[in-house]
Amino acid sequence: MLIRNYQVSDAKAVFDVYQNAIMGIASEAYDRKQVEIWSSYPQDIDQFTKRLSMGITLVAVDGNKVAAFGQLHPANHIDLLFTAKDYSRQGYATAIYQHLEDEALKQGVNCLYTEASRISKYFFLKQGFTIIEPETVFLSGVGFERFRMEKVIG
C-alpha cells in the first residue's frame, strides 16, 4: 500500500472508488433510492475534480490501482474518506486517516471534525471520535442520516 497526494490524473479512479464505496458498502445501511441518489452525486466530474483539489487529498494505491482516498479540508475537517469495496477493512482508510491527522497536527489543529455516514460512524468511533449529534441532510429531496463527530488531537 502506498499513500500519496492526489493528482488531477487520479480524478476518474477516485470518482470510481467513490461510487463503488457507496453502491457496494453504503448499501448495507441506506435504502436503494438513497444509494442511487448518493452515488449519482456529483454529476459533473469537473466539479468533483475541483473539490478533490482543495485542501489535502490523499490516495491509497495498491499497485497502480486507487483503493481509497480521503481529504483534509479545511485543516480541521476530515472529508471524503472512501474505500472501494474490495479494499474495505484492510487498513486503507486507517492509513489515510492517520496521515491526515498527522498533517492536521503539523498545522496546529487541536480538534478534528467530520460528518460520518451510518457506516463510517463506526470507523470514526474506532479512531477516537465522539458523536456530537445526528443530523439529516437532503439530496434531491431525500433525507440521509449522518453524524457530526469530533476528536481532540492536540
Side-chain angles (χ1 to χ4, degrees):
M1 173 190 331
L2 169 69
I3 306 294
R4 63 168 172 76
N5 287 323
Y6 162 81
Q7 301 163 3
V8 174
S9 60
D10 295 323
K12 174 71 169 99
V14 166
F15 185 71
D16 290 346
V17 168
Y18 172 82
Q19 287 192 316
N20 177 276
I22 294 166
M23 292 186 288
I25 301 170
S27 61
E28 298 169 16
Y30 293 93
D31 67 36
R32 190 181 62 73
K33 184 68 173 171
Q34 289 171 312
V35 169
E36 179 184 314
I37 290 169
W38 190 5
S39 67
S40 70
Y41 170 83
Q43 295 178 353
D44 180 357
I45 196 156
D46 290 335
Q47 175 191 5
F48 195 63
T49 301
K50 285 178 188 173
R51 186 171 174 191
L52 292 169
S53 296
M54 297 188 293
I56 297 168
T57 303
L58 301 177
V59 295
V61 180
D62 176 31
N64 62 354
K65 186 172 182 179
V66 175
F69 69 99
Q71 183 178 67
L72 184 67
H73 179 71
N76 66 344
H77 186 251
I78 302 290
D79 199 12
L80 296 173
L81 186 56
F82 289 89
T83 304
K85 184 176 181 176
D86 289 347
Y87 293 95
S88 68
R89 302 188 188 278
Q90 296 179 36
Y92 287 88
T94 302
I96 289 173
Y97 169 77
Q98 194 56 61
H99 278 79
L100 294 174
E101 181 180 302
D102 291 347
E103 184 59 38
L105 282 167
K106 286 181 198 171
Q107 293 185 31
V109 170
N110 295 327
C111 189
L112 286 172
Y113 298 90
T114 195
E115 295 81 28
S117 70
R118 290 177 183 161
I119 297 284
S120 65
K121 168 181 72 171
Y122 299 104
F123 169 83
F124 284 106
L125 288 169
K126 190 173 178 182
Q127 304 310 312
F129 280 73
T130 58
I131 296 171
I132 299 169
E133 66 182 347
E135 64 182 7
T136 302
V137 295
F138 291 87
L139 286 173
S140 300
V142 174
F144 292 82
E145 181 184 44
R146 68 180 188 183
F147 301 85
R148 293 183 62 235
M149 302 180 77
E150 69 179 358
K151 177 183 179 182
V152 176
I153 60 170

Tab-separated table of all heavy atoms in Angstrom, residues 96-134:
chain	number	residue	atom	x	y	z
A	96	ILE	N	-4.857	6.302	5.531
A	96	ILE	CA	-5.125	7.650	5.034
A	96	ILE	C	-5.495	8.565	6.196
A	96	ILE	O	-4.972	9.673	6.324
A	96	ILE	CB	-6.241	7.651	3.971
A	96	ILE	CG1	-5.727	7.007	2.686
A	96	ILE	CG2	-6.721	9.072	3.688
A	96	ILE	CD1	-6.800	6.799	1.642
A	97	TYR	N	-6.407	8.104	7.043
A	97	TYR	CA	-6.829	8.915	8.176
A	97	TYR	C	-5.626	9.327	9.019
A	97	TYR	O	-5.497	10.494	9.411
A	97	TYR	CB	-7.864	8.184	9.054
A	97	TYR	CG	-8.055	8.956	10.329
A	97	TYR	CD1	-8.824	10.116	10.330
A	97	TYR	CD2	-7.366	8.612	11.481
A	97	TYR	CE1	-8.923	10.900	11.465
A	97	TYR	CE2	-7.449	9.387	12.619
A	97	TYR	CZ	-8.224	10.523	12.601
A	97	TYR	OH	-8.291	11.310	13.712
A	98	GLN	N	-4.735	8.400	9.330
A	98	GLN	CA	-3.589	8.719	10.193
A	98	GLN	C	-2.701	9.776	9.547
A	98	GLN	O	-2.231	10.695	10.222
A	98	GLN	CB	-2.782	7.464	10.520
A	98	GLN	CG	-1.809	7.699	11.658
A	98	GLN	CD	-2.493	8.199	12.924
A	98	GLN	OE1	-3.346	7.535	13.492
A	98	GLN	NE2	-2.133	9.403	13.375
A	99	HIS	N	-2.489	9.673	8.244
A	99	HIS	CA	-1.705	10.694	7.540
A	99	HIS	C	-2.393	12.062	7.632
A	99	HIS	O	-1.727	13.089	7.829
A	99	HIS	CB	-1.517	10.315	6.066
A	99	HIS	CG	-0.413	9.350	5.823
A	99	HIS	ND1	-0.533	8.005	6.053
A	99	HIS	CD2	0.844	9.539	5.351
A	99	HIS	CE1	0.588	7.395	5.737
A	99	HIS	NE2	1.452	8.303	5.301
A	100	LEU	N	-3.713	12.079	7.468
A	100	LEU	CA	-4.449	13.346	7.536
A	100	LEU	C	-4.417	13.935	8.951
A	100	LEU	O	-4.249	15.142	9.117
A	100	LEU	CB	-5.890	13.154	7.053
A	100	LEU	CG	-6.040	12.801	5.571
A	100	LEU	CD1	-7.501	12.488	5.249
A	100	LEU	CD2	-5.495	13.893	4.662
A	101	GLU	N	-4.556	13.088	9.958
A	101	GLU	CA	-4.476	13.577	11.340
A	101	GLU	C	-3.093	14.150	11.618
A	101	GLU	O	-2.956	15.213	12.237
A	101	GLU	CB	-4.800	12.468	12.339
A	101	GLU	CG	-4.745	12.962	13.782
A	101	GLU	CD	-5.066	11.896	14.813
A	101	GLU	OE1	-6.177	11.310	14.753
A	101	GLU	OE2	-4.206	11.662	15.691
A	102	ASP	N	-2.050	13.447	11.167
A	102	ASP	CA	-0.681	13.940	11.355
A	102	ASP	C	-0.499	15.301	10.692
A	102	ASP	O	0.139	16.198	11.254
A	102	ASP	CB	0.338	12.941	10.791
A	102	ASP	CG	0.408	11.645	11.589
A	102	ASP	OD1	-0.131	11.577	12.716
A	102	ASP	OD2	0.989	10.674	11.052
A	103	GLU	N	-1.054	15.466	9.513
A	103	GLU	CA	-0.962	16.746	8.802
A	103	GLU	C	-1.709	17.837	9.567
A	103	GLU	O	-1.220	18.966	9.684
A	103	GLU	CB	-1.509	16.615	7.383
A	103	GLU	CG	-1.366	17.868	6.560
A	103	GLU	CD	0.069	18.357	6.402
A	103	GLU	OE1	0.985	17.529	6.254
A	103	GLU	OE2	0.273	19.591	6.431
A	104	ALA	N	-2.868	17.515	10.096
A	104	ALA	CA	-3.631	18.492	10.884
A	104	ALA	C	-2.821	18.929	12.109
A	104	ALA	O	-2.779	20.119	12.439
A	104	ALA	CB	-4.980	17.904	11.301
A	105	LEU	N	-2.171	17.987	12.776
A	105	LEU	CA	-1.338	18.321	13.931
A	105	LEU	C	-0.199	19.259	13.528
A	105	LEU	O	0.092	20.228	14.235
A	105	LEU	CB	-0.771	17.047	14.568
A	105	LEU	CG	-1.739	16.255	15.441
A	105	LEU	CD1	-1.192	14.871	15.748
A	105	LEU	CD2	-2.039	17.016	16.724
A	106	LYS	N	0.433	18.983	12.393
A	106	LYS	CA	1.508	19.847	11.897
A	106	LYS	C	1.011	21.269	11.655
A	106	LYS	O	1.765	22.222	11.779
A	106	LYS	CB	2.087	19.299	10.584
A	106	LYS	CG	2.951	18.092	10.732
A	106	LYS	CD	3.470	17.658	9.372
A	106	LYS	CE	3.959	16.238	9.397
A	106	LYS	NZ	4.265	15.730	8.043
A	107	GLN	N	-0.265	21.380	11.293
A	107	GLN	CA	-0.845	22.690	11.016
A	107	GLN	C	-1.397	23.359	12.282
A	107	GLN	O	-2.020	24.410	12.214
A	107	GLN	CB	-1.935	22.576	9.957
A	107	GLN	CG	-1.388	22.178	8.595
A	107	GLN	CD	-2.443	22.180	7.515
A	107	GLN	OE1	-3.395	22.948	7.552
A	107	GLN	NE2	-2.270	21.313	6.524
A	108	GLY	N	-1.197	22.730	13.438
A	108	GLY	CA	-1.611	23.324	14.701
A	108	GLY	C	-3.065	23.102	15.078
A	108	GLY	O	-3.591	23.768	15.973
A	109	VAL	N	-3.716	22.152	14.439
A	109	VAL	CA	-5.120	21.868	14.727
A	109	VAL	C	-5.230	21.133	16.066
A	109	VAL	O	-4.455	20.216	16.346
A	109	VAL	CB	-5.738	21.028	13.580
A	109	VAL	CG1	-7.115	20.513	13.948
A	109	VAL	CG2	-5.792	21.850	12.300
A	110	ASN	N	-6.210	21.532	16.874
A	110	ASN	CA	-6.444	20.889	18.173
A	110	ASN	C	-7.600	19.909	18.159
A	110	ASN	O	-7.692	19.026	19.003
A	110	ASN	CB	-6.741	21.948	19.246
A	110	ASN	CG	-5.562	22.841	19.493
A	110	ASN	OD1	-4.420	22.402	19.394
A	110	ASN	ND2	-5.822	24.097	19.801
A	111	CYS	N	-8.522	20.088	17.220
A	111	CYS	CA	-9.727	19.265	17.190
A	111	CYS	C	-10.134	19.025	15.741
A	111	CYS	O	-10.188	19.960	14.946
A	111	CYS	CB	-10.840	19.972	17.948
A	111	CYS	SG	-12.312	18.956	18.217
A	112	LEU	N	-10.392	17.774	15.408
A	112	LEU	CA	-10.859	17.411	14.071
A	112	LEU	C	-12.364	17.192	14.090
A	112	LEU	O	-12.918	16.725	15.089
A	112	LEU	CB	-10.188	16.120	13.587
A	112	LEU	CG	-8.740	16.219	13.157
A	112	LEU	CD1	-8.172	14.825	12.897
A	112	LEU	CD2	-8.600	17.087	11.920
A	113	TYR	N	-12.995	17.498	12.971
A	113	TYR	CA	-14.432	17.303	12.796
A	113	TYR	C	-14.697	16.476	11.547
A	113	TYR	O	-13.892	16.451	10.626
A	113	TYR	CB	-15.149	18.658	12.644
A	113	TYR	CG	-15.000	19.526	13.856
A	113	TYR	CD1	-13.938	20.419	13.977
A	113	TYR	CD2	-15.914	19.438	14.902
A	113	TYR	CE1	-13.795	21.199	15.104
A	113	TYR	CE2	-15.763	20.218	16.031
A	113	TYR	CZ	-14.703	21.099	16.126
A	113	TYR	OH	-14.556	21.862	17.251
A	114	THR	N	-15.830	15.823	11.521
A	114	THR	CA	-16.277	15.129	10.322
A	114	THR	C	-17.786	14.959	10.374
A	114	THR	O	-18.399	15.134	11.432
A	114	THR	CB	-15.581	13.754	10.149
A	114	THR	OG1	-15.772	13.290	8.817
A	114	THR	CG2	-16.094	12.717	11.145
A	115	GLU	N	-18.361	14.627	9.251
A	115	GLU	CA	-19.757	14.199	9.174
A	115	GLU	C	-19.715	12.775	8.646
A	115	GLU	O	-19.308	12.548	7.508
A	115	GLU	CB	-20.576	15.090	8.235
A	115	GLU	CG	-20.715	16.525	8.703
A	115	GLU	CD	-19.483	17.380	8.377
A	115	GLU	OE1	-18.787	17.085	7.390
A	115	GLU	OE2	-19.214	18.325	9.129
A	116	ALA	N	-20.101	11.835	9.471
A	116	ALA	CA	-19.958	10.419	9.150
A	116	ALA	C	-21.299	9.797	8.776
A	116	ALA	O	-22.327	10.082	9.393
A	116	ALA	CB	-19.363	9.670	10.344
A	117	SER	N	-21.251	8.924	7.794
A	117	SER	CA	-22.436	8.162	7.412
A	117	SER	C	-22.731	7.113	8.481
A	117	SER	O	-21.957	6.922	9.418
A	117	SER	CB	-22.187	7.456	6.071
A	117	SER	OG	-21.228	6.412	6.244
A	118	ARG	N	-23.830	6.414	8.306
A	118	ARG	CA	-24.164	5.326	9.238
A	118	ARG	C	-23.064	4.269	9.264
A	118	ARG	O	-22.821	3.649	10.297
A	118	ARG	CB	-25.485	4.665	8.837
A	118	ARG	CG	-26.689	5.525	9.051
A	118	ARG	CD	-27.925	4.818	8.551
A	118	ARG	NE	-29.105	5.653	8.682
A	118	ARG	CZ	-30.221	5.446	8.017
A	118	ARG	NH1	-30.327	4.421	7.185
A	118	ARG	NH2	-31.245	6.253	8.188
A	119	ILE	N	-22.427	4.039	8.127
A	119	ILE	CA	-21.353	3.040	8.036
A	119	ILE	C	-20.053	3.593	8.622
A	119	ILE	O	-19.416	2.958	9.455
A	119	ILE	CB	-21.126	2.616	6.568
A	119	ILE	CG1	-22.364	1.928	5.992
A	119	ILE	CG2	-19.885	1.742	6.429
A	119	ILE	CD1	-22.575	0.519	6.432
A	120	SER	N	-19.639	4.784	8.182
A	120	SER	CA	-18.337	5.314	8.604
A	120	SER	C	-18.325	5.777	10.056
A	120	SER	O	-17.251	5.950	10.645
A	120	SER	CB	-17.877	6.433	7.671
A	120	SER	OG	-18.730	7.551	7.747
A	121	LYS	N	-19.488	5.936	10.645
A	121	LYS	CA	-19.561	6.316	12.066
A	121	LYS	C	-18.721	5.362	12.916
A	121	LYS	O	-17.972	5.790	13.793
A	121	LYS	CB	-21.028	6.299	12.524
A	121	LYS	CG	-21.220	6.380	14.021
A	121	LYS	CD	-22.682	6.335	14.420
A	121	LYS	CE	-23.261	4.954	14.237
A	121	LYS	NZ	-24.615	4.823	14.807
A	122	TYR	N	-18.789	4.078	12.646
A	122	TYR	CA	-18.065	3.083	13.443
A	122	TYR	C	-16.557	3.205	13.244
A	122	TYR	O	-15.779	3.040	14.180
A	122	TYR	CB	-18.574	1.678	13.133
A	122	TYR	CG	-20.036	1.547	13.466
A	122	TYR	CD1	-20.997	1.556	12.461
A	122	TYR	CD2	-20.461	1.487	14.783
A	122	TYR	CE1	-22.349	1.477	12.765
A	122	TYR	CE2	-21.817	1.410	15.100
A	122	TYR	CZ	-22.750	1.404	14.077
A	122	TYR	OH	-24.083	1.337	14.394
A	123	PHE	N	-16.152	3.506	12.017
A	123	PHE	CA	-14.735	3.729	11.735
A	123	PHE	C	-14.226	4.900	12.569
A	123	PHE	O	-13.185	4.813	13.235
A	123	PHE	CB	-14.515	4.010	10.241
A	123	PHE	CG	-13.126	4.496	9.936
A	123	PHE	CD1	-12.090	3.599	9.780
A	123	PHE	CD2	-12.854	5.852	9.837
A	123	PHE	CE1	-10.796	4.044	9.528
A	123	PHE	CE2	-11.573	6.312	9.584
A	123	PHE	CZ	-10.543	5.403	9.429
A	124	PHE	N	-14.956	6.006	12.550
A	124	PHE	CA	-14.508	7.195	13.273
A	124	PHE	C	-14.547	6.995	14.785
A	124	PHE	O	-13.668	7.497	15.497
A	124	PHE	CB	-15.301	8.431	12.834
A	124	PHE	CG	-14.861	8.941	11.490
A	124	PHE	CD1	-15.653	8.746	10.365
A	124	PHE	CD2	-13.649	9.591	11.330
A	124	PHE	CE1	-15.244	9.206	9.119
A	124	PHE	CE2	-13.224	10.055	10.096
A	124	PHE	CZ	-14.021	9.867	8.981
A	125	LEU	N	-15.518	6.269	15.286
A	125	LEU	CA	-15.522	5.946	16.714
A	125	LEU	C	-14.255	5.181	17.084
A	125	LEU	O	-13.625	5.449	18.117
A	125	LEU	CB	-16.768	5.137	17.088
A	125	LEU	CG	-18.081	5.916	17.101
A	125	LEU	CD1	-19.272	4.957	17.228
A	125	LEU	CD2	-18.107	6.958	18.226
A	126	LYS	N	-13.848	4.257	16.231
A	126	LYS	CA	-12.636	3.462	16.464
A	126	LYS	C	-11.378	4.345	16.449
A	126	LYS	O	-10.399	4.040	17.123
A	126	LYS	CB	-12.537	2.369	15.399
A	126	LYS	CG	-11.486	1.337	15.658
A	126	LYS	CD	-11.578	0.218	14.634
A	126	LYS	CE	-10.504	-0.813	14.851
A	126	LYS	NZ	-10.559	-1.869	13.837
A	127	GLN	N	-11.427	5.448	15.708
A	127	GLN	CA	-10.290	6.372	15.637
A	127	GLN	C	-10.281	7.363	16.802
A	127	GLN	O	-9.397	8.209	16.895
A	127	GLN	CB	-10.300	7.159	14.318
A	127	GLN	CG	-10.305	6.321	13.066
A	127	GLN	CD	-9.248	5.241	13.047
A	127	GLN	OE1	-8.088	5.492	13.339
A	127	GLN	NE2	-9.649	4.025	12.718
A	128	GLY	N	-11.280	7.282	17.686
A	128	GLY	CA	-11.310	8.148	18.863
A	128	GLY	C	-12.253	9.334	18.760
A	128	GLY	O	-12.266	10.199	19.642
A	129	PHE	N	-13.044	9.399	17.710
A	129	PHE	CA	-14.032	10.472	17.578
A	129	PHE	C	-15.216	10.193	18.496
A	129	PHE	O	-15.481	9.043	18.858
A	129	PHE	CB	-14.561	10.548	16.137
A	129	PHE	CG	-13.648	11.261	15.183
A	129	PHE	CD1	-12.469	10.672	14.746
A	129	PHE	CD2	-13.966	12.525	14.699
A	129	PHE	CE1	-11.626	11.322	13.858
A	129	PHE	CE2	-13.133	13.185	13.813
A	129	PHE	CZ	-11.957	12.587	13.387
A	130	THR	N	-15.924	11.261	18.856
A	130	THR	CA	-17.174	11.138	19.583
A	130	THR	C	-18.277	11.799	18.758
A	130	THR	O	-18.013	12.704	17.965
A	130	THR	CB	-17.108	11.807	20.969
A	130	THR	OG1	-16.767	13.186	20.806
A	130	THR	CG2	-16.084	11.129	21.861
A	131	ILE	N	-19.482	11.332	18.964
A	131	ILE	CA	-20.622	11.882	18.230
A	131	ILE	C	-21.077	13.168	18.910
A	131	ILE	O	-21.327	13.180	20.118
A	131	ILE	CB	-21.782	10.867	18.165
A	131	ILE	CG1	-21.349	9.638	17.369
A	131	ILE	CG2	-23.035	11.509	17.567
A	131	ILE	CD1	-22.332	8.479	17.407
A	132	ILE	N	-21.162	14.236	18.132
A	132	ILE	CA	-21.703	15.499	18.628
A	132	ILE	C	-23.225	15.432	18.543
A	132	ILE	O	-23.914	15.686	19.515
A	132	ILE	CB	-21.187	16.702	17.805
A	132	ILE	CG1	-19.668	16.802	17.890
A	132	ILE	CG2	-21.860	17.989	18.267
A	132	ILE	CD1	-19.065	17.790	16.916
A	133	GLU	N	-23.714	15.083	17.345
A	133	GLU	CA	-25.157	14.948	17.161
A	133	GLU	C	-25.457	14.289	15.827
A	133	GLU	O	-24.705	14.442	14.867
A	133	GLU	CB	-25.857	16.309	17.228
A	133	GLU	CG	-25.490	17.237	16.086
A	133	GLU	CD	-26.152	18.599	16.193
A	133	GLU	OE1	-27.079	18.767	16.997
A	133	GLU	OE2	-25.728	19.493	15.448
A	134	PRO	N	-26.559	13.556	15.749
A	134	PRO	CA	-27.014	13.065	14.446
A	134	PRO	C	-27.673	14.223	13.698
A	134	PRO	O	-28.149	15.187	14.313
A	134	PRO	CB	-28.029	11.982	14.801
A	134	PRO	CG	-28.485	12.314	16.175
A	134	PRO	CD	-27.388	13.078	16.849
